[in-house]
Amino acid sequence: MPHNNARYVPSWFRSRVPALLLGALLWQHGQAQVLVENATLITEQEGVEAPFTGYMLAGADGLITAIGPGAYAGQLPSGTQRVDASGKFVIPGFVSGHNHLWQSAFRGIALDKVLQPWLDALHRTYGQFFANDDFYWFTLHGALDQLLHGITTTYSHSQRLDANEEQYLGSMKAEMEVGQHFIFSYNNDTKLKPAAMDLAFDAFMKKANANIALPGSMMLGAAINAVGNFSPDDTLAREMALAKKYKVGVQIHYLEQFSTGEADRAQWQSMKAKGALTPTTTFAHFIQTTDAILKDTAAAGAGMIWNPLSNGRLASGLSDIPKYRAMGVKVGMGVDGAASGDISDPFENMRMGMYALRMQHHDPAIMSAEQILRLHTLDTAKVLGIGNKVGSLEQGKLADFLILDPGSPLTGGVFNPVAHLVASMNAMNIEAIYVAGKLQVQNGKVLGKDTKAVQGEVVKRVASIVAAQKKAAKK
Ligand SMILES: [Zn+2]
């Protein structure tokens, strides 16, 4: 989409061109401008802490053109769509910093297990039976469901299991089609010889950069899902070297399961020596930490992604987030894969995290509604290095936002919009979701996507995988 949108149409041109023709021009560029009016705006912009009643204008280029209190006083080009949000909340789309989207097809699995036996029951039982376009369909399913729950930016911590490169990259293909912003975190095939692994990564980066460069692309960046900390060789060092060479971030699963905490902590010195600590490194989960580990992490400018739903479900434990932050560790939040988070819902995730901390500390001040909402929006965007693009509603950022109706389902009088939102609302209150200024979800339906057909396809494919596994187990 070229950037010569309506805002740059000179006035002499605007006055001579019939509205219909201008509308057609805008349509050609993909979308018209949108003006949301009379909204209770919860912007998450730093320094603008109090919600206010006002407007937000999204340009045809997908960016926020103007936002402020009261009524919009500027001139609107014809073709601008006006949305009256009286009595409704407008908030930035949620950002989820750690996700395995394919797991959407495997919910509720091994609900009585901690991490390792859960991995046995899922990855190590079914992973080898993935076929054809399974990764494509499962990822499509997961990303559509996240979008429906208000997650407009996801960090896709992809996993290849035993798939070949083409099947595995069906994950990235799916995400390009969803209408949700994403970073694709690439899982190197660490079984390859070092030179071959480097070549495969280079080929991936060419594809990734081509996707990122597409006009209006949903892909905001590439990253590495580093797994070398699980092997004693130099894999992690090579992954970190690739990240440095291609200037991408790294995310590492670390310190998740409680019972293996001691053994996992023993890797720390070696991980440091292999260059794992950088300002663009994030650790997923990072629960069984020590003060020394937190100190190192803060000093390196590294961060972590907190996944309360998944950490609760797998009985992994509770990261002491207020302490992490006090020590200078950057924190973001994620809903994790749906095989351990089970519901891709940031509202549930915020409540789970905030209430778990309050239970632990016997103190409601340990985590406020304002803090937890900031964590799942701007803070996560910042940890992922995309805080200049998403996570808050401010001029020049992508127009990714939710319109929430506190009257449907019924939620009562509003004393404090942020407290109301965090404590008493859920994904059912989402009336509309815009991504880059384009309406993507309305009243629980993803526009232009047949989610029922995706569900049908996924159920069929899971049944095939289960049947193949059973057949092989009999042999
Ligand atoms: Zn994970």
Side-chain angles (χ1 to χ4, degrees):
M1 185 167 67
H3 283 248
N4 55 336
N5 59 64
R7 283 185 299 131
Y8 302 113
V9 175
S11 57
W12 61 266
F13 185 71
R14 220 183 307 160
S15 62
R16 281 174 174 80
V17 176
L20 201 66
L21 179 56
L22 188 60
L25 282 171
L26 287 167
W27 180 81
Q28 268 199 335
H29 291 182
Q31 63 205 76
Q33 302 205 93
V34 180
L35 178 69
V36 180
E37 301 172 281
N38 310 311
T40 298
L41 280 153
I42 301 170
T43 67
E44 294 308 310
Q45 179 177 0
E46 282 169 323
V48 185
E49 304 304 330
F52 59 88
T53 305
Y55 66 87
M56 183 172 66
L57 181 63
D61 57 2
L63 304 178
I64 296 169
T65 308
I67 182 166
Y72 180 65
Q75 268 209 324
L76 289 175
S78 54
T80 301
Q81 191 206 343
R82 298 176 81 147
V83 179
D84 182 9
S86 300
K88 292 168 189 167
F89 299 169
V90 170
I91 69 168
F94 289 99
V95 183
S96 181
H98 179 70
N99 313 271
H100 311 289
L101 293 160
W102 64 270
Q103 289 183 5
S104 189
F106 296 89
R107 299 178 193 220
I109 201 165
L111 189 53
D112 57 344
K113 300 281 193 282
V114 297
L115 177 67
Q116 283 303 329
W118 171 87
L119 284 168
D120 289 339
L122 176 56
H123 297 59
R124 294 165 195 143
T125 298
Y126 298 118
Q128 59 190 294
F129 300 101
F130 276 42
N132 303 319
D133 300 324
D134 282 348
F135 264 124
Y136 168 84
W137 284 101
F138 296 168
T139 302
L140 192 64
H141 190 268
L144 285 170
D145 190 52
Q146 282 202 346
L147 182 60
L148 275 167
H149 285 88
I151 296 170
T152 53
T153 301
T154 196
Y155 183 93
S156 176
H157 203 60
S158 70
Q159 293 169 312
R160 67 170 56 240
L161 305 178
D162 293 313
N164 67 34
E165 190 72 7
E166 194 193 337
Q167 289 171 4
Y168 159 61
L169 285 180
S171 320
M172 183 164 68
K173 183 172 171 252
E175 284 175 83
M176 288 298 288
E177 296 172 11
V178 171
Q180 175 192 45
H181 285 126
F182 70 101
I183 289 175
F184 192 81
S185 178
Y186 181 81
N187 183 186
N188 285 291
D189 186 353
T190 55
K191 286 189 209 111
L192 295 173
K193 293 221 165 78
M197 188 180 108
D198 290 1
L199 271 180
F201 187 73
D202 188 72
F204 159 72
M205 281 305 298
K206 286 196 173 92
K207 288 184 191 123
N209 285 328
N211 281 345
I212 293 165
L214 290 172
S217 178
M218 287 292 122
M219 187 164 175
L220 299 180
I224 293 179
N225 165 8
V227 293
N229 54 315
F230 300 110
S231 42
D233 59 16
D234 67 343
T235 305
L236 182 62
R238 290 192 286 114
E239 289 173 308
M240 296 312 302
L242 282 176
K244 194 174 174 186
K245 182 177 169 193
Y246 291 86
K247 298 188 173 64
V248 296
V250 168
Q251 194 169 94
I252 307 174
H253 278 115
Y254 190 48
L255 296 173
E256 183 173 2
Q257 184 172 298
F258 176 74
S259 63
T260 55
E262 202 178 328
D264 293 342
R265 281 189 296 272
Q267 302 170 351
W268 186 243
Q269 294 307 327
S270 138
M271 285 168 68
K272 272 165 62 182
K274 289 170 182 170
L277 280 176
T278 80
T280 54
T281 300
T282 49
F283 296 105
H285 309 298
F286 212 47
I287 304 162
Q288 328 303 337
T289 54
T290 61
D291 283 2
I293 289 174
L294 294 174
K295 235 173 137 177
D296 286 346
T297 306
M304 65 85 73
I305 301 294
W306 180 36
N307 305 278
L309 277 174
S310 173
N311 297 163
R313 196 262 212 203
L314 291 172
S316 304
L318 178 63
S319 300
D320 193 348
I321 297 302
K323 176 180 164 181
Y324 285 25
R325 283 154 62 101
M327 288 184 72
V329 176
K330 296 186 294 192
V331 178
M333 287 181 78
V335 296
D336 203 355
S340 67
D342 302 274
I343 180 161
S344 305
D345 187 340
F347 293 90
E348 297 255 4
N349 205 37
M350 288 193 297
R351 279 193 283 271
M352 177 77 204
M354 182 171 83
Y355 292 163
L357 285 169
R358 289 176 176 208
M359 282 187 256
Q360 178 92 349
H361 290 265
H362 308 112
D363 179 8
I366 198 72
M367 179 64 69
S368 69
E370 284 78 9
Q371 286 168 331
I372 198 84
L373 181 61
R374 177 65 54 88
L375 270 167
H376 228 320
T377 52
L378 184 61
D379 284 349
T380 304
K382 282 163 74 175
V383 176
L384 299 176
I386 47 175
N388 59 337
K389 293 187 177 129
V390 296
S392 61
L393 302 177
E394 38 191 306
Q395 201 180 335
K397 280 193 166 186
L398 285 160
D400 291 3
F401 61 95
L402 318 182
I403 300 178
L404 300 161
D405 184 356
S408 177
L410 301 170
T411 64
V414 177
F415 293 89
N416 167 332
V418 177
H420 198 89
L421 168 80
V422 169
S424 68
M425 291 170 81
N426 64 44
M428 283 176 74
N429 294 99
I430 300 174
E431 183 179 282
I433 301 175
Y434 288 76
V435 183
K438 189 178 173 199
L439 182 63
Q440 292 283 15
V441 173
Q442 197 163 32
N443 300 319
K445 298 256 180 297
V446 186
L447 301 179
K449 300 279 190 306
D450 188 348
T451 50
K452 281 212 172 96
V454 175
Q455 167 75 3
E457 183 70 30
V458 161
V459 167
K460 210 170 73 189
R461 284 170 178 270
V462 169
S464 297
I465 288 172
V466 170
Q469 189 275 334
K470 274 198 181 131
K471 202 174 154 195
K474 270 191 200 147
K475 280 182 189 162

